[in-house]
Amino acid sequence: NMWVATLGQGLWRVSGDGVARPRSVEIITTNTGLAGNSVRSVIEDAEGNIWVGADRGLSRVSPASVIALRDLGMVRGVVSSRDGTVWAGTANGVIRNPGTVGERHELRSSNVSAIHEDQKGTLWAATDRGLFRLANGRFSLVRLPAQIRPERVIGITTDSAGGLWLSDMAAGVFRLSNGGLRDFGVRPEIGRRTAWGLHADARNRVWIAFSGGMLVVVEPDETVHVYGPRTGGSLRAIHEGRGNTVWVAGDDGLSRLREGRFVTANRRNGLPGNTVSGVVEDPVGFLWAGGNSGIIRLK
């Protein structure tokens, strides 16, 4: 790249292809974050950042770390399979490996409300056309009891015994196994709250994140433990990290449960925002959280 400082037209990045003609020119101005449009000095540091001195201050232009994939429709869930395949559940169906050359669209014209991969590698997707299961490369329709409407399912998980847990936005939380259905939303302290997140952990406990800040744990013997309401806002997602640490994302921040004790991070103690809608830990050990302030990486 060749970087061109202008007096009044911002910073230009001219990318070439090794011949006389430039391939493209990108213009960076105050409209895209530059401190000023009259640029006086430009330097590149050892990490590839471009430092720009302008009439209204100093700017740092960094290599893009996030690539936006557009025109997918509303994305309501993303799953990374054991074989490396990425599945996105969208308002236009299920997309396999979005943004790649071999991108494939499944369940077209379906509005996907939840997507999940179980311990055996089977993919589940709840849509306005029903609940589907991917097996042997094909999606097949799964019949559900009348109490559950698939277009209202916003959470799916599976336990090690093969039980399928579903959260119906209106009807509550259910476990479906061997044709039998159990309702886990009838306890007086839970009521008919909306369950936004479901997660089966390594000890086969099922964690349920409810609206109103209530967190519920169902043991393998179906004993139910209730935490909360812990906060005023809704809990959105649950993730089990290393060392059986449980992370809970919600409207009031990101909480960690370790050895029976909760610790919460939010705007008051370091997070750029309070609302956290998703959390995941990568193989290196970094924790990634997404919310109304963007994507956050925690070390």
Side-chain angles (χ1 to χ4, degrees), residues 93-117:
V94 177
I95 303 176
R96 177 178 179 176
N97 290 328
T100 65
V101 175
E103 176 182 305
R104 245 184 35 213
H105 294 249
E106 312 276 0
L107 303 178
R108 288 181 179 272
S109 302
S110 297
N111 189 354
V112 180
S113 56
I115 189 168
H116 164 72
E117 185 187 54

Side-chain angles (χ1 to χ4, degrees), residues 3-226:
W3 297 87
V4 181
T6 76
L7 295 178
Q9 298 183 51
L11 180 70
W12 297 5
R13 180 173 66 178
V14 183
S15 59
D17 55 6
V19 296
R21 292 183 178 180
R23 186 172 54 205
S24 64
V25 178
E26 178 185 0
I27 300 176
I28 305 170
T29 66
T30 54
N31 292 332
T32 52
L34 205 63
N37 288 331
S38 292
V39 179
R40 300 285 180 172
S41 58
V42 181
I43 191 171
E44 181 180 10
D45 66 20
E47 296 180 347
N49 300 300
I50 305 297
W51 294 85
V52 185
D55 55 336
R56 296 185 180 179
L58 181 67
S59 304
R60 184 184 68 182
V61 181
S62 301
S65 56
V66 177
I67 300 174
L69 303 179
R70 307 188 185 279
D71 301 322
L72 300 180
M74 172 69 75
V75 179
R76 293 191 173 90
V78 180
V79 169
S80 179
S81 297
R82 290 161 177 77
D83 63 1
T85 302
V86 174
W87 300 90
T90 78
N92 299 319
V94 177
I95 303 176
R96 177 178 179 176
N97 290 328
T100 65
V101 175
E103 176 182 305
R104 245 184 35 213
H105 294 249
E106 312 276 0
L107 303 178
R108 288 181 179 272
S109 302
S110 297
N111 189 354
V112 180
S113 56
I115 189 168
H116 164 72
E117 185 187 54
D118 64 22
Q119 292 93 329
K120 297 180 180 179
T122 301
L123 190 75
W124 300 79
T127 80
D128 57 351
R129 293 166 48 199
L131 178 68
F132 289 86
R133 176 176 56 199
L134 178 64
N136 300 319
R138 297 185 62 183
F139 280 96
S140 57
L141 184 65
V142 178
R143 287 188 172 274
L144 291 176
Q147 296 96 317
I148 306 173
R149 292 175 55 181
E151 71 272 14
R152 299 187 309 200
V153 172
I154 56 175
I156 307 173
T157 195
T158 45
D159 56 38
S160 61
L164 179 67
W165 294 72
L166 301 170
S167 171
D168 184 303
M169 182 177 286
V173 178
F174 299 87
R175 182 181 186 268
L176 182 63
S177 178
N178 298 322
L181 187 69
R182 290 290 308 276
D183 186 343
F184 283 88
V186 295
R187 293 176 64 98
E189 62 267 40
I190 298 175
R192 284 297 179 185
R193 299 171 182 261
T194 300
W196 293 105
L198 298 175
H199 176 76
D201 67 14
R203 295 165 56 183
N204 203 32
R205 300 174 299 177
V206 175
W207 296 77
I208 310 172
F210 282 99
S211 59
M214 180 173 285
L215 182 65
V216 172
V217 184
V218 183
E219 301 282 353
D221 63 359
E222 297 190 358
T223 301
V224 178
H225 304 288
V226 178

